[in-house]
Amino acid sequence: MHIAVLRHLLSVLVLRLADRPGGLPSTTEDSDTFRRFREAVERDFAKTREVADYARNLGYSPRTLTRATASAVGTSAKGYIDERVMLEAKRRLAHSDEPAVRIAAHLGFSSATNFSKYFQSRAGQSPIQFRNAVRQVPRPQG
């Protein structure tokens, strides 16, 4: 397997471990808040990437979601949402032949250009460069 694919699998594992009882949050209140936020992100990450939307739908302030997320997984609420969107984008790029424009639409981007800019700023390469890199098969030597 390629290192990039292994990194993504590790990301999935970390998200799963955060879901286990006795997880990482330091208080019961933060734990419940983060659990609800995590479930909402899983359900709606393709619809919205805005912390304010999740806060409004869950009845919390954006600051409360960020505090609970930082306590649970050590990142901001926005960072958590972006990590989930990127995980799905990378999974689709690595394991499907869907064009980037279709992946962009699935993830709720208004255009392939916006998706490409979003992806580039977080991954350091374009979606197509990422796909090509994870699909390169090492050639046998000798």
Side-chain angles (χ1 to χ4, degrees):
M1 278 197 191
H2 299 295
I3 290 175
V5 173
L6 291 173
R7 282 187 192 132
H8 305 302
L9 292 173
L10 180 59
S11 296
V12 170
L13 178 62
V14 169
L15 289 172
R16 298 280 185 221
L17 288 175
D19 191 30
R20 296 176 58 104
L24 304 172
S26 60
T27 69
T28 303
E29 181 182 340
D30 281 353
S31 176
D32 184 54
T33 301
F34 177 70
R35 179 189 54 77
R36 292 183 66 214
F37 174 60
R38 184 187 66 239
E39 290 169 356
V41 170
E42 281 301 311
R43 182 181 59 245
D44 297 331
F45 71 88
K47 296 175 189 164
T48 183
R49 292 176 300 285
E50 299 297 324
V51 175
D53 293 339
Y54 290 98
R56 185 175 40 260
N57 291 337
L58 295 171
Y60 297 115
S61 71
R63 185 176 181 180
T64 297
L65 289 183
T66 293
R67 185 189 73 234
T69 305
S71 176
V73 293
T75 190
S76 68
K78 177 63 174 155
Y80 184 82
I81 296 165
D82 287 343
E83 287 174 14
R84 183 60 184 95
V85 171
M86 287 298 293
L87 179 65
E88 184 66 13
K90 288 177 177 180
R91 185 187 70 77
R92 286 176 171 264
L93 288 164
H95 301 292
S96 79
D97 291 324
E98 287 180 283
V101 67
R102 190 174 310 154
I103 294 171
H106 173 80
L107 293 175
F109 287 88
S110 59
S111 71
T113 301
N114 288 340
F115 170 65
S116 185
K117 288 177 183 177
Y118 179 91
F119 192 95
Q120 175 85 35
S121 72
R122 285 156 183 82
Q125 57 188 338
S126 73
I128 301 309
Q129 288 170 327
F130 173 82
R131 175 177 272 165
N132 291 339
V134 298
R135 290 188 176 186
Q136 285 181 349
V137 178
R139 295 182 179 192
Q141 296 181 4

